[in-house]
């Protein structure tokens, strides 16, 4: 079960990274892969962005914060499955 959670966290991390990288290149997020990335990641990124808005109005650190939080939690629940290894 923990291996499944770890795999889901890793896949979601890759989706967030793809969206962050895509933000440099994609101008139209309304179709195809960009739309999929937006729809899958926005429900998690939007609440973080409301708490910590983009720095200077342009630098959005919410993807980095979400990835760090997911890896931290993964390290707590499954020290050997990735994350930062802060097992209890």
């Amino acid at each position: 079960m923990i291996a499944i959670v770890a795999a889901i966290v890793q896949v979601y991390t890759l989706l967030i990274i793809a969206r962050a990288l895509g933000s440099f290149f994609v101008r139209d997020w309304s179709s195809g892969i960009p739309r999929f990335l937006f729809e899958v990641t926005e429900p998690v990124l939007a609440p973080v962005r409301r708490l910590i808005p983009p720095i200077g109005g342009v630098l959005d650190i919410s993807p980095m914060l979400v990835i760090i939080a997911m890896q931290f939690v993964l390290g707590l629940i499954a020290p050997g499955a990735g994350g930062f290894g802060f097992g209890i």
Side-chain angles (χ1 to χ4, degrees):
M1 180 66 172
I2 291 177
I4 293 171
V5 172
I8 291 170
V9 167
Q10 296 306 324
V11 167
Y12 202 73
T13 298
L14 292 174
L15 291 172
I16 291 173
I17 291 170
R19 177 176 173 185
L21 291 174
S23 69
F24 291 107
F25 305 106
V26 176
R27 297 292 169 232
D28 180 17
W29 289 86
S30 64
S31 65
I33 293 174
R35 181 179 177 130
F36 170 76
L37 290 173
F38 180 84
E39 289 180 358
V40 169
T41 58
E42 189 63 14
V44 175
L45 295 176
V48 175
R49 201 175 299 116
R50 279 193 295 273
L51 291 173
I52 303 171
I55 298 171
V58 293
L59 181 60
D60 183 12
I61 62 169
S62 62
M64 180 175 46
L65 295 175
V66 168
I67 290 171
I68 289 170
M70 287 191 314
Q71 294 298 318
F72 180 76
V73 170
L74 181 60
L76 288 176
I77 63 172
F84 295 121
F86 297 118
I88 298 174

